[in-house]
């Protein structure tokens, strides 16, 4: 799937962050990005399971992990979205539609993954 033309890459990926990581890590960044591409869906799935099981601690841990890992690889939209969800969970927002928010995060991951795949060199 090509990157979504309606969403600017700058909203999805922090290019400066990835440039800094590339300067620091060189080609090792490609392995890190591949690992993130493989691991991030499991974090999102863990959040969904925790929500379905009514386990607020596991849900918070999963969302916090998604936020941090996404931020580490410059997946800006996903990290910001997970951060917003994390804050809403902390304050027990009564208007929160958890299923819709997790679906939105899945979409953010898909967009980030499309962009990141184009950046992997080897």
């Amino acid at each position: 799937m090509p990157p979504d033309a309606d969403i600017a890459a700058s909203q999805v990926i922090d290019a400066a962050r990835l440039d800094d990581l590339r300067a620091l890590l060189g080609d090792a960044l490609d392995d890190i990005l591949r690992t993130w591409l493989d691991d991030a869906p499991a974090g999102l799935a863990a959040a969904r399971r925790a929500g379905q099981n009514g386990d607020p601690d596991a849900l918070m841990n999963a969302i916090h992990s998604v936020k941090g890992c996404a931020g580490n690889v410059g997946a800006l939209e996903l990290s910001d979205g997970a951060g917003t969800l994390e804050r809403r969970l902390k304050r027990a927002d009564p208007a929160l539609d958890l299923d819709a928010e997790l679906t939105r995060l899945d979409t953010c991951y898909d967009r980030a993954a499309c962009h990141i795949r184009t950046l992997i060199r080897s």
Side-chain angles (χ1 to χ4, degrees):
M1 167 196 299
D4 189 336
D6 294 335
I7 304 294
S10 63
Q11 294 174 300
V12 176
I13 297 295
D14 182 348
R17 170 91 173 129
L18 287 172
D19 288 345
D20 290 345
L21 288 171
R22 178 76 65 193
L24 181 67
L25 301 170
D27 290 338
L29 177 60
D30 295 329
D31 292 332
I32 292 167
L33 294 176
R34 278 190 209 91
T35 298
W36 181 79
L37 288 169
D38 290 341
D39 291 350
L44 291 165
R48 190 169 298 278
R49 273 192 313 277
Q52 291 168 343
N53 293 335
D55 187 342
D57 291 334
L59 175 59
M60 187 65 77
N61 288 338
I63 292 299
H64 184 77
S65 179
V66 166
K67 177 185 76 170
C69 293
N72 287 341
V73 298
L76 185 62
E77 181 188 32
L78 179 56
S79 182
D80 289 349
T84 298
L85 178 54
E86 184 178 38
R87 288 187 296 280
R88 291 182 73 190
L89 289 167
K90 283 181 182 177
R91 69 175 189 263
D93 183 346
L96 177 66
D97 179 344
L98 183 60
D99 187 55
E101 291 301 314
L102 292 173
T103 298
R104 188 174 63 79
L105 292 182
D106 288 337
T107 300
C108 292
Y109 165 79
D110 290 340
R111 281 195 287 260
C114 285
H115 286 285
I116 285 175
R117 283 185 188 103
T118 68
L119 301 173
I120 294 174
R121 295 181 179 170
S122 53

